[in-house]
Amino acid sequence: MDGHALPPGIRLVDIARRAGVSIKTVSRVVNGEPHVADTTRELIQRTIVEMGQNNPAPARSASTRRSGTVGLIFPDVRNDYFAACSRALQARLSTFAPVLLSGDSDDDVHTEERLLQAMRRQELDGLVIFPTGAPSLPDFARTTPTVVVDRTVPAIRGKVDHVLPDSRRAAEALTLHMIDQHQLDRVCLIAGNLNISTLHNRHLAFQRVVARTGTTNHVAAGMTSIDDAESAAYALFREVEPPFGVLATNALMFWGTVSAVARLGLRIPTDVVLTTFDAIPGIGNTGLIPTNAVAPATTLAARTVQLLTERTHNPRLPPRMVEIDYDITYGTSCGCIPIDPERNVLG
């Protein structure tokens, strides 16, 4: 049972109550996470098995027989974060459905719509989607168990099951870290497309912190590539006196910021304290350790498959929204860990 979806109809709170432990401890065992005593882990696993035996899944009629196929639509396979989520979801979904039909929308609403139309012609047991805003998504979700992950769009907000990382809390933590821990009175936000709900929430959180603290701030937003981010950051940083902090909303914005800093002859973290979201591919070659917030892909996948399983067995459940916390690591890019000068190639 460790590291797998729960039997249908069994909730974390019920397991915790019966086993006499916290819901968080049950969650760690279900998700296969470490730092749980062996005796406690065995108790929870035994409790889940006993509860599953006493609450068997209802038999399916021929009309509700499952196809063993689930659809997955993600926005950009080139992004390491989405690739990690896709791999984690595929591993988790194998216990729910052996066949996974996946497609890359490239964050384009028209491509997403074409993928949905193609998947509509299949007999899917469910759909997992990082939405861009395809018009037919609300109708699709009414007929097929659907879980929305990572971000949302207005047409389905509050109407479909969601698993969302808490972008606002993480952005607040990173922004406050630069202001409070590194004593900066100037900070910048280098942001991607703010129409994407996660990036919009990061922007809102940044603005809330700088307003509360009275910190001078600068924002460049709407970039969708490293080159665009570099150009925008270069123009912005020329007008800001070092030292200053930067919150980059994703890996593309991070690399654009790094390139702009290098072009201006500035140094990380002496002149520019840099924080970001997402794991950063290729960073190991630079000697730099990013201060970053990363949504744990395994937790996201576990929660997603749990909701999908419950929705499949009980379509009348009200829409659920599960928030998960980001993992924040403090590294050399903000100065919390000293940079090894022999390995640092970025300044």
Side-chain angles (χ1 to χ4, degrees):
M1 185 59 60
D2 189 10
H4 293 284
L6 293 177
I10 296 179
R11 302 178 302 167
L12 294 179
V13 64
D14 298 325
I15 299 167
R17 186 179 297 118
R18 180 162 174 172
V21 298
S22 70
I23 296 176
K24 180 62 177 176
T25 301
V26 176
S27 173
R28 287 183 176 137
V29 172
V30 170
N31 292 325
E33 297 176 5
H35 311 307
V36 178
D38 291 342
T39 54
T40 302
R41 188 181 300 275
E42 291 169 2
L43 169 63
I44 293 171
Q45 291 171 335
R46 186 167 62 252
T47 300
I48 293 173
V49 171
E50 292 172 354
M51 293 179 71
Q53 292 172 343
N54 294 330
N55 187 25
R60 289 182 171 268
S61 65
S63 62
T64 60
R65 188 173 296 116
R66 286 169 53 181
S67 66
T69 303
V70 168
L72 170 63
I73 298 178
F74 49 85
D76 186 359
V77 73
R78 296 165 298 182
N79 184 309
D80 271 23
Y81 166 64
F82 296 125
C85 289
S86 178
R87 289 192 295 270
L89 283 164
Q90 186 165 0
R92 286 279 178 175
L93 285 167
S94 66
T95 66
F96 177 83
V99 179
L100 182 67
L101 298 180
S102 62
D104 185 342
S105 72
D106 200 26
D107 254 331
D108 178 74
V109 66
H110 302 295
T111 302
E112 182 176 279
E113 181 64 29
R114 288 195 295 271
L115 289 169
L116 279 175
Q117 295 302 329
M119 290 186 178
R120 189 184 293 273
R121 295 190 288 270
Q122 310 298 318
E123 292 186 6
L124 296 183
D125 291 333
L127 172 71
V128 177
I129 183 169
F130 298 70
T132 299
S136 68
L137 179 56
D139 287 337
F140 191 101
R142 277 191 282 270
T143 58
T144 303
T146 298
V147 180
V148 171
V149 295
D150 181 68
R151 77 273 292 271
T152 188
V153 293
I156 55 173
R157 187 178 290 120
K159 301 175 182 178
V160 179
D161 292 333
H162 283 67
V163 177
L164 302 178
D166 192 345
S167 282
R168 295 191 186 190
R169 182 183 299 179
E172 285 186 353
L174 290 173
T175 306
L176 275 173
H177 180 75
M178 294 188 291
I179 296 169
D180 290 346
Q181 297 300 316
H182 296 283
Q183 302 295 301
L184 296 175
D185 54 16
R186 291 176 295 278
V187 292
C188 303
L189 179 73
I190 304 299
N193 180 5
L194 297 184
N195 289 325
I196 297 173
S197 66
T198 48
L199 303 190
H200 175 70
N201 288 338
R202 292 166 192 175
H203 175 240
L204 288 179
F206 175 86
Q207 294 288 14
R208 185 163 51 241
V209 170
V210 297
R212 187 169 71 240
T213 58
T215 306
T216 301
N217 67 96
H218 308 267
V219 175
M223 294 78 72
T224 58
S225 69
I226 293 176
D227 290 342
D228 288 344
E230 178 184 350
S231 296
Y234 180 80
L236 183 62
F237 297 165
R238 291 182 65 185
E239 307 300 323
V240 183
E241 181 182 353
F244 58 86
V246 175
L247 173 60
T249 59
N250 57 31
L252 297 178
M253 302 302 105
F254 173 88
W255 283 120
T257 296
V258 167
S259 297
V261 167
R263 283 178 60 190
L264 289 165
L266 300 174
R267 295 175 298 168
I268 299 173
T270 307
D271 301 313
V272 179
V273 170
L274 179 55
T275 64
T276 188
F277 280 82
D278 293 353
I280 307 298
I283 196 67
N285 298 324
T286 68
L288 199 65
I289 301 171
T291 293
N292 59 348
V294 179
T298 53
T299 301
L300 182 144
R303 292 290 183 269
T304 299
V305 175
Q306 179 183 347
L307 292 187
L308 191 62
T309 302
E310 293 171 354
R311 174 66 56 191
T312 299
H313 288 277
N314 188 356
R316 296 182 180 180
L317 285 170
R320 283 86 45 86
M321 200 279 283
V322 174
E323 280 192 330
I324 61 175
D325 289 329
Y326 282 83
D327 292 332
I328 298 181
T329 301
Y330 299 97
T332 61
S333 71
C334 74
C336 282
I337 297 176
I339 290 182
D340 181 350
E342 295 184 359
R343 296 190 60 213
N344 180 31
V345 300
L346 297 177

